[in-house]
Amino acid sequence: MSKLKNIYRVDKFIVPESSRDEFLSRILDTHKILRVQPGFIQDSVLEHTEGPGRYNIVTVAEWESQEAINSAKNVVQAEHAKSGFSPQQIMDRLSVQADIANYTRVSE
């Protein structure tokens, strides 16, 4: 029997320095919602400090399954809609570029 692999949602952002504080505040608010969802395991919100690289903010959230991610996404979208928050509008206004994808751990 094969063991199911956890899914890692990795969001990488290029955030102008002038937009950093507002954007991070929004990310942290969203992660508060994610952390209490079924299937959530752990997360990290990371900021680039040294070395070459395009992305200066990276978030990683580990989930038990794709179904858990989908369910959490629905909850977050509903919360955003209730408050009138549009992530895409904020990213456009703040000139944030994103690279968002799901990953699994490579077996050794």
Side-chain angles (χ1 to χ4, degrees), residues 4 11 17 32 34 37 45 49 60 66 74 78 86 88 96-97 99 103 107:
L4 295 176
D11 298 356
E17 183 60 34
K32 286 178 188 173
L34 295 176
Q37 299 308 307
V45 177
T49 58
V60 181
Q66 185 62 50
N74 291 336
S86 167
Q88 189 59 54
V96 171
Q97 297 175 41
D99 179 359
Y103 297 81
S107 298

Side-chain angles (χ1 to χ4, degrees), residues 77-89:
Q77 287 176 339
E79 288 296 317
H80 287 169
K82 273 198 298 190
S83 67
F85 171 60
S86 167
Q88 189 59 54
Q89 285 179 350

Side-chain angles (χ1 to χ4, degrees), residues 37-90:
Q37 299 308 307
F40 173 84
I41 297 172
Q42 65 180 341
D43 69 336
S44 295
V45 177
L46 309 168
E47 186 167 21
H48 181 258
T49 58
E50 187 177 335
R54 305 175 31 142
Y55 302 101
N56 54 338
I57 303 291
V58 176
T59 66
V60 181
E62 183 177 2
W63 296 89
E64 291 178 355
S65 66
Q66 185 62 50
E67 292 76 22
I69 292 172
N70 295 344
S71 177
K73 180 179 179 181
N74 291 336
V75 170
V76 168
Q77 287 176 339
E79 288 296 317
H80 287 169
K82 273 198 298 190
S83 67
F85 171 60
S86 167
Q88 189 59 54
Q89 285 179 350
I90 291 291

Side-chain angles (χ1 to χ4, degrees), residues 8-12 99-103:
Y8 297 83
R9 168 70 183 252
V10 180
D11 298 356
K12 300 178 284 188
D99 179 359
I100 297 171
N102 292 343
Y103 297 81

